[in-house]
Amino acid sequence: MPVTSAEAQPRLNSPHEQGITLTINGQAHDLTLDTRQSLLDLLRERLNLTGTKKGCNQGACGACTVLVNGRRINACLTLAAMLDGSEITTIEGLANGDQLHPLQAAFIEHDGLQCGYCTPGQILSGIACIAEGHAGSPEETRFWMSGNICRCAAYPGIVAAVTQVAKEM
């Protein structure tokens, strides 16, 4: 007996639950989630992708930056239920096995991290900054990366890494 589309839907227990499909770091996930859940909490608490950091939880620090369909967003301010069908990239999805993404390698080369807490968000924001064409000079990179705060002030290394990779791509 064929399954109808209504029968194929996930069983929802609450008016606040919704079924969605997300592709995260190249892997499809069919999820039933609370419509009030942020993308950050979905990634960290349910999918155990803890590379994305919870900083201010108010969208002011950028520690939770991830890419959604190639665009950078603050995961703490984004409801996961709004992203049905989206492709999400987190820091866990950048390296190819033991081979780091060029920007990850450049952060190490230029000492663009100190405590490392903001680094995942900085790297993902830097990838988007390069893709947007906003990393042509150190001044431009600083301006377009200003939504990502580093409490250790590793800014010179971060800007050098983003600017270098932008020139190489």
Side-chain angles (χ1 to χ4, degrees):
M1 175 180 224
V3 176
T4 66
S5 61
E7 293 170 329
Q9 295 296 315
R11 187 174 182 170
L12 304 178
N13 297 321
S14 158
H16 297 289
E17 290 184 333
Q18 178 180 336
I20 67 168
T21 299
L22 298 174
T23 301
I24 303 172
N25 300 328
Q27 182 179 4
H29 295 266
D30 291 319
L31 303 161
T32 300
L33 51 79
D34 189 309
T35 57
R36 300 164 292 186
Q37 185 172 36
S38 72
L39 176 60
L40 177 61
D41 289 340
L42 174 70
L43 293 171
R44 289 185 55 82
E45 296 172 15
R46 183 157 170 196
L47 301 176
N48 203 28
L49 294 169
T50 58
T52 305
K53 301 303 182 201
K54 183 179 278 189
C56 66
N57 210 26
Q58 300 176 352
C61 75
C64 64
T65 302
V66 298
L67 302 180
V68 175
N69 299 327
R71 299 183 68 176
R72 51 185 158 169
I73 65 155
N74 290 329
C76 71
L77 295 180
T78 304
L79 295 174
M82 296 171 53
L83 303 175
D84 189 24
S86 296
E87 292 188 26
I88 298 166
T89 304
T90 70
I91 195 72
E92 290 92 345
L94 293 183
N96 184 8
D98 291 338
Q99 184 176 357
L100 296 176
H101 183 280
L103 192 52
Q104 290 175 304
F107 263 63
I108 294 169
E109 178 184 339
H110 291 282
D111 198 22
L113 55 135
Q114 289 183 17
C115 81
Y117 194 80
C118 71
T119 305
Q122 297 276 4
I123 289 174
L124 287 160
S125 189
I127 289 169
C129 186
I130 292 166
E132 294 161 3
H134 295 307
S137 68
E139 295 78 19
E140 186 179 32
T141 300
R142 272 192 287 278
F143 178 82
W144 288 98
M145 292 285 295
S146 63
N148 290 77
I149 307 298
C150 173
R151 291 172 181 87
C152 303
Y155 296 115
I158 292 168
V159 169
V162 173
T163 305
Q164 174 193 310
V165 172
K167 288 178 183 172
E168 295 171 355
M169 297 181 104

